[in-house]
Amino acid sequence: MSILGLTYCPWSPIFWLLASAIVMIMAYFFRRRGQKKYKKDTAQTRIFLCGEEVPEAKQRHIRAHNVYWGFFETMKEYYDANIKAHTGIINDYIIWFLVLIAISAIILFIVG
Amino acid sequence: MSLNTIKRALWAYHINTGSCNGCDIEILAVLTPRYDVERFGIRLVGSPRHADVLLVTGPVARQMAPRLKRVYEQTPDPKVVIVVGSCGLEGGVFYESYNLVGPVDQIIPVDVYVPGCPPRPEAIIEAVAKAWVKLEQAEKQGVT
Amino acid sequence: MKNEEMETTYTIPVGPIHPALKEPIRLDLKVDGERIVDVDVVVGQVHRGIEWLGMNRNNPIQNIYLAERVCGICNISHPFAYVMAVEHAAGISPPERAEYIRAITAEMERIHSHLLWAGVAAHEIGFESVFYLVWRVREKIMDLIEYVTGNRVTKAMFQIGGVRRDITEEQFPRIRKTLDYYKSIFDQLKTVFLDDRTIRMRAKNVGVLKREDALKLLAVGPTARASGVAKDVRQDQAYSAYADLDIKAVTPDILTGSIVGDVYDRIIVRLLEIKQSMEIIERCLEEMPPGAILAEPKMAKVLNTLKKAEGEGVGRHEAPRGEVIHYVRLEAGRETLATWKIRAPTYVNLMSIPTILKGGQIADVPIAFASIDPCISCTNRAMVVDRKTNEKSIMTYEELHQLCVEKTRRLSNGLVK
Amino acid sequence: MDWSSNSYSLTTVAIVVGSIILALLGAFFGLLYRGIDRKLAAHMQGRIGPPIIQPFRDIRKLLAKESIIPDGGLSWLFQACPFICLVVSILLLTYIPVFGQRALLEGYGDLVLILYLLIIPSLALVVGGFASSSPFATVGAQREMVIMMSYEFPLAVAIIAIAWRISHVTDINPFIFSTVAQYPIWNQVGPVGVIGSLALLFTLLVVTPGEVAKVPFDIAEAETEIAGGLLVEYSGRNLALFYLADTIRAFVMVSLVVALFFPYNLSPVIGIGATAPAVIVDSLFFLLKVFLVMFISVILIRTAMARFKISQASYIYIIAMTLIGLVGLILIHVDMIV
Amino acid sequence: MEIVKILLKQLLQTPATNKFPAKYAPKSTIKFLDRIKKGELKLTPPIAVPPRFRGKISYNREKCTGCQLCLKVCPTKAIEFIPEEKKVKIFVARCCFCAQCVDICPVDALAMTDEFMLSSYDKYADELVVTK
C-alpha cells in the first residue's frame, strides 16, 4: 500500500507501468499505420555498404575492443598516468599507502 | 498507401555512376541558397534506405553498373529515379565507349530524364516538378 | 585461436557510393577503434575510356569537348592543356588576344573551383552554414562564367588555335563588378574560414603531408604548395598569357609564417589563390591586346591541317587541383589522334592519400580526403580487362613496368619512322 | 490538478487521459518545433527553407514507405528499438512539467528517475545500431555510446547541484519539480551564486545538443562520414518512430532546462486568477520559453558550428563541461558561505 | 565568432532564394500547372539567361544544305543525317550543348536558343528531337 500511497515516493512503478502501457498502445497504433511490407529474401534486404557486395557476417564483425575507443582516446592521459603508477613493485605500493595514510591523518588532524 | 504523401517530402540520394562531376556540382547547387530545394521538402540524405528519389548522374561505367542496381534495390519503395545530364540519358560524349554499359535506363527503370550538359539548376527543379506530376497521375490511377 | 581472429582492427569501405564522396572511388579503411591503421585506395569505378575514344573515334575538334568532360570542374584546364598539346604538335600558334582570354577563363574557373572546394570541405565537417554561405557567394562567379561563356559549368571556350568566344569591351564592367564584389567579401570569407574555432579544431594538424613526403610522393597543386613545395606551372614554366604576368606560387607561410602541411594550410593556400586569381584577371583585362581570337576561323580548314600534320606535343596547365599534362601525337593521314595521354593532378595526388589518412580518425577521412580536392573522374583511365574471359585483373608492378617499357619502345619506333 | 485526492480510480483515469493528451501534444509540439528549427536555420543560412509543417509531411511520408529489415541483424531487436525509443521519449514528458502546469506524474517520479529515463532512448539507438549489423551503424552506435557516457556526468552534476542548493532552503524533497518551481534557483542565490547558476545553465545548454544528436554532436549520425550512422539501415515506419522520438526528445530536453531554470509562470505576475485563462497564458509563456532555449541551445549552436570528432566531443563533455558544472556547484556553495 | 554575426544578420534579411517556380511545393501540381496555363497564377521566372547562353538547339530546315559538316564535329553523334531528304535530325537527349555545330554551319541553319528546361518522361519525346 505504501507504493500506491499518495504521499511522496521517488518512483511509483504502478503508475509508471500504467503510463507506459498507454503510451505503448498509442505508439503501437502509430506504428501500425505504417507500411509493413517489404520484399523479404530479395536483394533489397542486403545491408547498404556503399553499393559494394556484402561480405560474410564474420568478416564485418566488429570486435568489442573498438566500442569504447572514443572514451579511451579522451581519457588517454588519465589511463596512461594510472598505468604508469601501477608499477607492480610492492615497495611502490607501500609508499603510496604510507603517503596516503599520512595525508589523511593530517586532514583528520586539521578537521578534527 | 498514398503516393501524394511522398510528393512533398522527397528525400534524395545522389549516385554518381561515372559522370564528369558537372552534374554533381549542379545537384549540390540546387541545395544552396539561390535555389534551395529544401523549401519543397527535398533534402539530401546519407543512406539509400532513407531515400525516395535517386538522382543518378553519369553514363554508368562497367564497374558501377552492379552497384547502381544494388543501391536501387536497397532503396525502399515507392521511389522515383531522376537521371540528370545527357550522359546518363544517352551516353553523351562518352557514347560507344568500351567500358560503358549504360545509359542508366538499361540498368534501372527511370522516371524523369533531364537533358543538359550539365542541366541548369532550374532544369533539375523542373524535373522534380515533373516527378510530382507523375506521382499525382499515378495516385489518380490508383497505382501503388 | 588463430592469429587472424585475434586481430582488433576491422575494415570499413568508404565508397564508391558514399555521401562523403561526390564521385565513385573506394577507400578501404583498416581501423582500430576509430584510428586509421591502413588505407587502400581502389580506383577504376569511373573509367570511361576517354583516351581510347580520343584515339579511335574522335577527330581533334571533337576531342576538345571530350577533354572538357574529363572533369566537369576542371573543364577549362583539360581543354587548355589539350589544345596546347595539339597546337604544339601541329605548329599552330594562337593569337595573343586568345591567350589572354584563355588565362581569364582559366582563372575564373580557379575561383569557382576553390570556392566550390571550400563549400564542400565545410559540408564534409558538418558545417552547413558555411557551405551555404560559400556556395551563395559562388553563384556570382557562376553567373559571370555563364555570362562570358554561355554555360554555367561546361564552358566550351577553347578551340585549336584560339578561343571560340571573345571577351568584348562591354563585358568588362560586369567582370570588374564581380571581382569588386569578391574583393569586398574576401576578408569576411577569410575570417569565417581561418578564425573559426570549430574549423580550426577540425583542420589543424589533420591530414598532415610533410614537405619531404610531398616531394617524395610527387604531389602537385595546392596540396604540394600547402606542404611548402613552391611549385606552380604558371611560375615554373610560364605559358600562354601567364608568361607576361610573373606569377608567384602561393604557400601558406605568406600568411602564417610557418608550414605544417595540414588541411588548414590547404585552406589557406586555396583562399589566397582566389585572391591571386582575381588579380590575374584584372591584369589580363587591363593588358589584353586587340586582334583576332582564332588563328584560323574556318574549322573545316583546321581539321584538314590537323589531318595532314605530323608530330607530337605536350600541354601543361596549372589546374585548380594541380598540374595537368596532355600528351598528343598526330600522324599524317589519320583523322583521330595517334596517341593521347592525359595525366590529371588527382592521379598523382592520390598517392599521398594513405600518408595523409594514416593515423587519423574516421571522422577525418572526409575532410582530409577532400583536402587534396580529388577529382576522381580525372583519374580513372586505366583498367585491365581480359576481353576473352571478361575478367578483371590487377597487374603486379613488374608486369606493368614491362608493359610500359614495351609501349615506350613501340611509340618511339613509331616516331622514328 | 490536485492529484492528492483520495480516490485511486480518479488518479488512474487522470493518468490515462493525461498521458494520451501529453503524447499527442508532445508529438505535435515536437514536430512543430522541429519545423521552426529548420525554418529558422534556413533563414539564417540565407534560404527560404521548408514550410513549418514539413516534419509532419516527413512523418507521413515515412509511414508510406517500405520498412526494410536488413539481413544478418536481429529482426525483433531491430524493430523493437525505435519503438522503445519513442515510448520512453513520450514517457519522459509525463514526469516533466510542461505548459506551465505540474507534471502529470508529479510525486511518482523525481529528477533522478528522469536522469535514468533519459539514457534509455540513446540506449535504444545504440542497440538498434548494433542490431543492424552494418559496419556504419556499428561505428555510429559506438560513437553514440561514448557521447552518452560523456554527457551523462555533466548533466547529473547540473541537476544535482540545483537540487542540492534547494535542499538548503527547504525541507521538502528538492528532487521534485514542484520544489524546484517553488524555489527558483535565481531567487535563492546571491551574485556569486548567480554566476554559478549561469555556469550550470551553460552546462545544460551544451548537453542539450548532445542529447538530441544535433551538430556539433551529431557524430553518431554523421552523414558525410558514416552515411547516416546508426540510422543507416532504418527505413519506413521504423525510421518514422526514430524521427518522431528525436523531435520529442528535443522538446523534452528543452522543457527540462525550462523546468529547472525558468520555472516561472506568467499568470500570477499579471494577476490572472481564473483557471482557464491562466492555463492558456502559462502554456503560451511556456512555449515561448521553450522556443528561446531551443533557439540558443539547438538552432544557433547547430548552425554556427562544425561537427566535432568523437574524441573532441567526448573531451568537451567529460573534461570541459564537467569542470564548468563543478565550478558552478562550488560557486553556489561559496555563495552560501558568503 | 564571425559566423554567428553573419547568421543573425541573414536571419533578419530576406533570403537569397529565387522562388522558382513557386515558393513552396503546390498541393496539386497538375492543378497548379492548369492555373498557370489559364493565367490565374504567375510563375516566378528562373534566373535570366545571359545573351550568349547555349540552350536547346534550333534548326532551320529550309536553310540547311545537307553539307554534313555539323556531323563531322559533333562530339556526341547527336546529329543524324537523313540521306533521302539531305537534312538532319538532332537528338537533344544526346547533345552536349557545345554549339560547335553552330560555329561550323556555313549557312547558319543551326542556332542555340534560350530554352534549357528540357526534362521529360521520355528521352525520345518529340520536343527532344529537333527536326525543323
Side-chain angles (χ1 to χ4, degrees):
Chain A
M1 213 49 201
S2 66
I3 290 173
L4 275 178
L6 293 168
T7 51
Y8 171 75
C9 68
W11 178 46
S12 153
I14 301 282
F15 288 133
W16 181 75
L17 278 175
L18 179 66
S20 322
I22 309 282
V23 174
M24 268 187 195
I25 292 167
M26 296 189 67
Y28 172 74
F29 276 110
F30 172 74
R31 188 170 189 275
R32 230 186 51 164
R33 285 193 54 198
Q35 165 78 269
K36 36 191 156 307
K37 267 182 282 173
Y38 69 99
K39 297 172 202 78
K40 253 179 215 160
D41 301 322
T42 57
Q44 195 185 38
T45 60
R46 249 170 273 143
I47 60 166
F48 167 67
L49 213 59
C50 296
E52 291 292 309
E53 199 97 55
V54 183
E56 269 178 57
K58 210 174 174 186
Q59 277 173 23
R60 49 171 213 264
H61 179 72
I62 297 177
R63 298 183 73 89
H65 157 84
N66 298 298
V67 170
Y68 293 103
W69 183 86
F71 203 75
F72 287 136
E73 186 69 14
T74 318
M75 307 291 275
K76 210 173 181 178
E77 285 171 23
Y78 172 76
Y79 287 126
D80 283 350
N82 256 319
I83 289 168
K84 243 184 225 160
H86 290 75
T87 49
I89 303 165
I90 199 119
N91 287 355
D92 289 358
Y93 291 113
I94 289 174
I95 290 168
W96 274 114
F97 182 66
L98 289 177
V99 169
L100 280 179
I101 284 192
I103 291 170
S104 0
I106 292 165
I107 291 173
L108 281 177
F109 182 72
I110 294 167
V111 176
Chain B
M1 191 185 76
S2 162
L3 286 174
N4 244 334
T5 57
I6 291 171
K7 199 190 78 184
R8 282 189 290 175
L10 291 172
W11 291 1
Y13 189 75
H14 167 216
I15 305 173
N16 177 334
T17 62
S19 102
C20 74
N21 244 340
C23 301
D24 311 271
I25 56 176
E26 290 299 68
I27 284 176
L28 270 187
V30 158
L31 297 170
T32 54
R34 159 105 54 111
Y35 305 100
D36 183 38
V37 285
E38 209 192 344
R39 64 203 156 102
F40 307 132
I42 299 168
R43 51 175 239 197
L44 226 50
V45 290
S47 159
R49 298 282 197 216
H50 309 170
D52 313 297
V53 187
L54 293 179
L55 293 169
V56 187
T57 58
V60 193
R62 195 173 295 275
Q63 283 202 40
M64 290 308 289
R67 297 178 169 98
L68 172 65
K69 203 167 160 47
R70 220 170 277 143
V71 170
Y72 174 78
E73 279 164 352
Q74 282 166 350
T75 312
D77 279 333
K79 59 195 162 204
V80 179
V81 178
I82 300 180
V83 177
V84 179
S86 289
C87 55
L89 264 70
E90 274 286 272
V93 284
F94 310 114
Y95 73 100
E96 285 170 13
S97 167
Y98 61 89
N99 205 42
L100 299 185
V101 290
V104 176
D105 53 7
Q106 295 199 350
I107 318 282
I108 55 173
V110 173
D111 296 299
V112 185
Y113 299 88
V114 195
C117 196
R120 266 186 127 207
E122 280 99 343
I124 300 175
I125 294 178
E126 194 225 358
V128 170
K130 282 247 160 75
W132 291 339
V133 171
K134 192 162 187 176
L135 282 171
E136 278 168 24
Q137 280 164 350
E139 168 86 16
K140 262 188 200 161
Q141 289 154 11
V143 186
T144 47
Chain C
M1 258 203 203
K2 266 189 267 170
N3 213 12
E4 222 172 282
E5 283 173 45
M6 287 297 288
E7 237 177 49
T8 52
T9 54
Y10 59 97
T11 317
I12 13 180
V14 174
I17 300 176
H18 189 281
L21 314 164
K22 295 285 162 266
E23 289 162 274
I25 186 171
R26 198 172 89 226
L27 303 172
D28 281 331
L29 305 175
K30 215 171 175 197
V31 209
D32 175 18
E34 290 212 15
R35 177 82 54 214
I36 295 159
V37 183
D38 205 359
V39 186
D40 194 6
V41 184
V42 186
V43 292
Q45 289 91 345
V46 218
H47 177 60
R48 291 157 299 185
I50 289 177
E51 285 165 352
W52 181 86
L53 291 175
M55 290 185 279
N56 291 289
R57 193 190 77 194
N58 284 1
N59 62 39
I61 287 187
Q62 288 172 322
N63 269 345
I64 299 172
Y65 306 102
L66 192 57
E68 218 166 42
R69 283 154 186 85
V70 167
C71 168
I73 307 176
C74 348
N75 57 37
I76 286 289
S77 311
H78 283 283
F80 201 153
Y82 169 74
V83 294
M84 278 199 295
V86 174
E87 282 159 6
H88 184 196
I92 303 169
S93 57
E96 220 182 321
R97 188 180 176 84
E99 300 278 31
Y100 273 78
I101 294 173
R102 282 179 183 184
I104 290 173
T105 47
E107 294 312 313
M108 279 183 349
E109 177 182 85
R110 196 181 313 276
I111 296 176
H112 124 70
S113 172
H114 282 349
L115 284 173
L116 171 134
W117 175 84
V120 170
H123 175 69
E124 304 281 21
I125 54 173
F127 208 153
E128 295 297 321
S129 301
V130 173
F131 165 61
Y132 288 125
L133 179 77
V134 174
W135 278 60
R136 180 183 171 178
V137 169
R138 177 176 164 269
E139 286 297 331
K140 287 263 191 245
I141 190 80
M142 297 307 279
D143 281 349
L144 184 66
I145 289 173
E146 195 180 32
Y147 176 68
V148 171
T149 71
N151 195 325
R152 280 164 56 89
V153 178
T154 36
K155 287 133 195 136
M157 271 301 259
F158 281 72
Q159 188 55 272
I160 292 158
V163 288
R164 286 180 55 195
R165 259 161 284 206
D166 197 2
I167 297 180
T168 52
E169 282 289 340
E170 57 262 33
Q171 287 178 322
F172 283 16
R174 171 98 187 250
I175 300 175
R176 291 219 168 92
K177 213 176 113 195
T178 311
L179 291 179
D180 287 342
Y181 168 75
Y182 278 108
K183 264 185 219 149
S184 68
I185 207 152
F186 184 77
D187 282 330
Q188 195 184 35
L189 275 184
K190 212 167 95 183
T191 340
V192 164
F193 266 97
L194 301 182
D195 297 343
D196 190 86
R197 292 246 353 226
T198 46
I199 291 185
R200 273 162 175 261
M201 278 171 83
R202 290 302 302 271
K204 279 232 166 184
N205 294 318
V206 165
V208 179
L209 185 69
K210 292 204 188 73
R211 191 184 143 85
E212 307 86 75
D213 289 334
L215 286 170
K216 209 159 59 191
L217 296 164
L218 304 171
V220 290
T223 315
R225 291 196 280 275
S227 300
V229 185
K231 68 172 174 187
D232 187 324
V233 190
R234 293 174 297 170
Q235 165 198 285
D236 303 335
Q237 272 176 339
Y239 53 96
S240 193
Y242 296 120
D244 305 346
L245 298 171
D246 188 30
I247 287 154
K248 283 266 167 306
V250 176
T251 43
D253 49 342
I254 299 172
L255 200 71
T256 55
S258 65
I259 291 168
V260 190
D262 55 3
V263 174
Y264 190 73
D265 278 357
R266 281 169 220 143
I267 298 177
I268 296 175
V269 168
R270 292 209 170 85
L271 274 177
L272 293 180
E273 281 187 15
I274 292 176
K275 199 165 191 186
Q276 189 190 30
S277 293
M278 296 191 302
E279 283 156 12
I280 295 174
I281 296 179
E282 275 191 337
R283 280 200 57 192
C284 282
L285 287 182
E286 272 164 31
E287 293 168 20
M288 193 145 80
I293 54 165
L294 274 172
E296 169 56 65
K298 289 237 161 58
M299 278 311 107
K301 240 183 198 172
V302 174
L303 274 178
N304 266 333
T305 340
L306 289 173
K307 199 173 169 185
K308 276 181 235 145
E310 175 106 39
E312 56 179 343
V314 175
R316 295 169 71 191
H317 168 64
E318 182 73 22
R321 282 150 191 76
E323 180 187 7
V324 45
I325 305 175
H326 278 234
Y327 166 82
V328 159
R329 192 162 60 85
L330 300 171
E331 255 171 34
R334 188 169 167 165
E335 268 195 49
T336 63
L337 302 172
T339 312
W340 186 19
K341 184 78 202 139
I342 309 171
R343 209 235 35 205
T346 308
Y347 189 73
V348 277
N349 277 344
L350 267 185
M351 301 303 143
S352 35
I353 276 294
T355 319
I356 284 177
L357 292 184
K358 248 182 238 175
Q361 299 184 14
I362 296 179
D364 294 332
V365 172
I367 177 71
F369 185 64
S371 73
I372 68 157
D373 204 354
C375 183
I376 315 304
S377 48
C378 294
T379 308
N380 285 252
R381 282 179 320 281
M383 186 176 66
V384 184
V385 182
D386 193 325
R387 282 244 176 121
K388 280 171 218 150
T389 56
N390 218 0
E391 239 174 53
K392 288 166 207 145
S393 58
I394 295 167
M395 301 185 105
T396 61
Y397 171 76
E398 282 76 23
E399 282 174 325
L400 270 177
H401 183 72
Q402 190 58 39
L403 277 178
C404 285
V405 171
E406 276 168 28
K407 189 178 176 188
T408 318
R409 234 173 250 152
R410 216 164 52 230
L411 284 175
S412 48
N413 282 347
L415 279 184
V416 170
K417 268 180 221 159
Chain D
M1 290 271 188
D2 186 15
W3 304 120
S4 55
S5 79
N6 40 27
S7 156
Y8 291 136
S9 51
L10 197 67
T11 316
T12 313
V13 170
I15 287 176
V16 171
V17 175
S19 0
I20 293 175
I21 293 172
L22 268 183
L24 294 176
L25 284 178
F28 176 76
F29 282 105
L31 291 172
L32 187 71
Y33 275 105
R34 175 59 50 89
I36 294 173
D37 165 19
R38 281 175 69 179
K39 185 85 192 167
L40 279 182
H43 268 268
M44 286 161 96
Q45 290 159 343
R47 319 178 275 132
I48 287 181
I52 287 175
I53 57 159
Q54 187 60 41
F56 294 90
R57 289 183 184 160
D58 283 350
I59 287 278
R60 258 188 30 178
K61 176 212 73 176
L62 284 173
L63 286 178
K65 296 278 286 182
E66 286 181 321
S67 324
I68 301 166
I69 297 159
D71 289 345
L74 288 168
S75 148
W76 64 271
L77 198 61
F78 182 80
Q79 296 188 70
C81 283
F83 189 71
I84 293 170
C85 188
L86 177 64
V87 167
V88 177
S89 302
I90 298 175
L91 207 55
L92 271 163
L93 268 182
T94 58
Y95 287 102
I96 293 176
V98 280
F99 303 106
Q101 309 305 315
R102 295 171 68 181
L104 178 66
L105 292 178
E106 170 94 58
Y108 303 116
D110 56 10
L111 272 165
V112 181
L113 177 69
I114 285 174
L115 276 183
Y116 283 126
L117 283 182
L118 270 177
I119 306 173
I120 297 180
S122 306
L123 261 185
L125 274 164
V126 170
V127 176
F130 280 126
S132 344
S133 93
S134 154
F136 295 123
T138 315
V139 174
Q142 56 144 326
R143 286 176 170 191
E144 175 76 25
M145 201 132 125
V146 170
I147 283 280
M148 191 175 85
M149 283 162 59
S150 312
Y151 69 64
E152 216 51 59
F153 194 52
L155 177 66
V157 167
I159 290 180
I160 287 166
I162 293 165
W164 178 73
R165 180 66 185 78
I166 292 170
S167 73
H168 285 276
V169 188
T170 167
D171 286 337
I172 320 170
N173 188 321
F175 281 102
I176 322 175
F177 279 110
S178 60
T179 324
V180 179
Q182 214 175 332
Y183 302 97
I185 184 87
W186 311 103
N187 303 11
Q188 313 305 323
V189 292
V192 184
V194 166
I195 298 171
S197 312
L198 280 176
L200 293 176
L201 177 61
F202 180 69
T203 314
L204 263 190
L205 288 182
V206 176
V207 167
T208 308
E211 174 72 44
V212 301
K214 284 269 173 264
V215 174
F217 299 106
D218 72 330
I219 309 162
E221 287 162 27
E223 241 168 53
T224 44
E225 291 163 20
I226 46 174
L230 29 75
L231 297 179
V232 66
E233 288 300 323
Y234 279 99
S235 61
R237 57 179 181 175
N238 291 323
L239 187 61
L241 288 171
F242 267 140
Y243 189 110
L244 190 59
D246 189 36
T247 58
I248 295 177
R249 214 144 57 105
F251 186 65
V252 162
M253 212 36 217
V254 176
S255 304
L256 182 65
V257 178
V258 168
L260 284 175
F261 283 95
F262 312 105
Y264 304 100
N265 268 341
L266 198 59
S267 55
V269 181
I270 54 175
I272 297 175
T275 320
V279 168
I280 293 172
V281 168
D282 288 342
S283 303
L284 290 177
F285 187 56
F286 168 79
L287 291 174
L288 180 71
K289 285 187 287 185
V290 168
F291 170 74
L292 288 176
V293 172
M294 192 172 266
F295 183 77
I296 292 165
S297 80
V298 178
I299 308 177
L300 198 59
I301 290 185
R302 105 177 158 96
T303 46
M305 278 189 176
R307 186 186 300 123
F308 290 132
K309 289 193 266 189
I310 182 70
S311 52
Q312 289 167 343
S314 190
Y315 178 85
I316 283 171
Y317 280 137
I318 301 184
I319 315 281
M321 280 304 125
T322 308
L323 271 183
I324 291 175
L326 288 176
V327 166
L329 185 97
I330 291 167
L331 284 179
I332 289 182
H333 187 70
V334 169
D335 180 64
M336 268 194 318
I337 300 167
V338 178
Chain E
M1 294 256 272
E2 179 77 15
I3 187 77
V4 178
K5 254 191 268 165
I6 296 173
L7 289 176
L8 293 178
K9 214 171 98 194
Q10 285 184 344
L11 181 60
L12 302 174
Q13 286 168 345
T14 35
T17 310
N18 173 39
K19 296 181 188 123
F20 168 80
K23 191 175 175 192
Y24 295 123
K27 188 141 197 259
S28 160
T29 322
I30 299 175
K31 274 183 203 152
F32 176 76
L33 292 176
D34 272 353
R35 288 180 65 186
I36 283 171
K37 235 180 238 160
K38 281 182 208 149
E40 290 168 26
L41 269 178
K42 254 182 113 182
L43 271 183
T44 316
I47 312 270
V49 292
R52 290 201 290 201
F53 182 75
R54 283 174 277 128
K56 184 180 163 185
I57 199 160
S58 74
Y59 173 49
N60 189 333
R61 208 179 158 83
E62 275 68 58
K63 274 190 188 171
C64 180
T65 54
C67 70
Q68 295 186 51
L69 269 176
C70 49
L71 272 79
K72 214 169 172 195
V73 291
C74 179
T76 59
K77 216 177 178 180
I79 309 175
E80 194 184 62
F81 187 65
I82 311 166
E84 304 89 60
E85 305 168 39
K86 290 209 164 174
K87 300 287 170 194
V88 297
K89 196 170 157 187
I90 305 149
F91 293 92
V92 178
R94 205 160 194 172
C95 176
C96 77
F97 302 87
C98 64
Q100 184 66 61
C101 51
V102 178
D103 278 17
I104 205 164
C105 184
V107 290
D108 289 336
L110 294 164
M112 294 312 240
T113 61
D114 283 351
E115 203 181 328
F116 63 90
M117 284 191 278
L118 306 167
S119 62
S120 87
Y121 305 118
D122 175 11
K123 59 184 179 183
Y124 302 122
D126 288 345
E127 66 266 23
L128 290 187
V129 182
V130 179
T131 49
K132 62 171 189 308

